[in-house]
Amino acid sequence: MLRPAYPIETERLILRPFRDDDLEGLYAYQSLPEVARYLYWKPRSLEESRSFLKQKMSAATVEKEGDWLVLAVEWRETAELIGEVNLQWRSREHRQGEIGYIFNPAYHGKGFATEAAEAVLRLGFEGLDLHRICGRLDGRNAASARVLERLGMRREAHLMQNEMVKGEWSDEVIYAMLRHEWDARASSS
């Protein structure tokens, strides 16, 4: 079980549970075609974002295998919602997890996704005692691959045309990190 003490603060970010007043910021990026491009969903309407906000608000703890921790990412400098970062507890037996992140393109290229994802890796390895955490992405999403590489995750697989996404075949790329790799990285920082 994982019940983080909130807020989680990094050098420039605050990670916290989503709240009702995050709707405008959430919709600002969920409504963009460039955000939805490599995801399973299409750009969302305001009402769809409102519905997904309710789901995100209830994902502030990880209590059982399969649960997702979904955290709002706020830029400390402006107190604006700039994205989200996620951690799923995929397997209790095998101590496996998965991370993900979505950011408003207005904040791309500033290292925010890497900074937020690193905090979530720490939660997974040190809070849930996971053995392995992966990140899965559309093979065309080079920017997301760079985030995982900056985190020190290794590219483990490139699955060719393994999923039909939005009417077209899509490749899936899988990155991962093991606990001892996290420990080595953390001790060298």
Side-chain angles (χ1 to χ4, degrees):
M1 180 181 322
L2 178 64
R3 293 178 184 227
Y6 295 115
I8 298 166
E9 298 189 23
T10 68
E11 183 180 339
R12 301 175 298 160
L13 305 172
I14 296 173
L15 281 58
R16 56 166 176 78
F18 273 89
R19 350 178 257 247
D20 281 323
D21 64 348
D22 287 324
L23 179 59
E24 184 179 324
L26 180 65
Y27 175 66
Y29 64 84
Q30 284 195 338
S31 63
L32 299 173
E34 62 268 34
V35 170
R37 180 176 181 204
Y38 299 124
L39 301 171
Y40 293 110
W41 40 270
K42 293 182 177 173
R44 294 186 171 145
S45 68
L46 182 60
E47 284 311 308
E48 289 169 326
S49 288
R50 187 182 319 277
S51 174
F52 280 96
L53 176 59
K54 297 296 181 200
Q55 291 177 19
K56 291 173 187 309
M57 288 171 56
S58 67
T61 62
V62 174
E63 298 184 8
K64 63 188 180 317
E65 179 179 275
D67 282 356
W68 280 95
L69 181 71
V70 182
L71 301 178
V73 179
E74 186 178 297
W75 188 13
R76 291 164 67 125
E77 186 174 302
T78 63
E80 291 178 77
L81 175 70
I82 63 171
E84 64 189 74
V85 65
N86 313 297
L87 173 68
Q88 183 188 34
W89 189 7
R90 293 187 64 153
S91 171
R92 176 190 296 271
E93 178 183 3
H94 303 292
R95 295 175 38 215
Q96 305 281 315
E98 179 178 337
I99 63 166
Y101 38 84
I102 304 171
F103 279 78
N104 186 319
Y107 301 96
H108 285 183
K110 297 174 177 22
F112 293 137
T114 304
E115 188 173 328
E118 182 175 43
V120 171
L121 282 175
R122 180 175 290 106
L123 288 174
F125 286 123
E126 298 173 15
L128 270 178
D129 193 31
L130 296 176
H131 170 70
R132 179 178 179 275
I133 299 176
C134 73
R136 299 177 310 122
L137 55 115
D138 184 298
R140 301 167 293 181
N141 194 343
S144 187
R146 285 191 299 274
V147 169
L148 298 175
E149 290 165 0
R150 279 193 297 274
L151 290 167
M153 298 178 84
R154 117 189 61 62
R155 184 173 167 158
E156 290 189 335
H158 186 142
L159 308 174
M160 304 297 289
Q161 297 184 9
N162 72 313
E163 294 182 306
M164 180 66 73
V165 180
K166 299 177 187 161
E168 65 180 329
W169 286 108
S170 176
D171 293 1
E172 181 179 15
V173 176
I174 301 170
Y175 283 79
M177 177 181 276
L178 299 173
R179 173 65 188 258
H180 72 85
E181 294 168 323
W182 168 259
D183 291 341
R185 183 178 189 275
S187 68
S188 69
S189 300

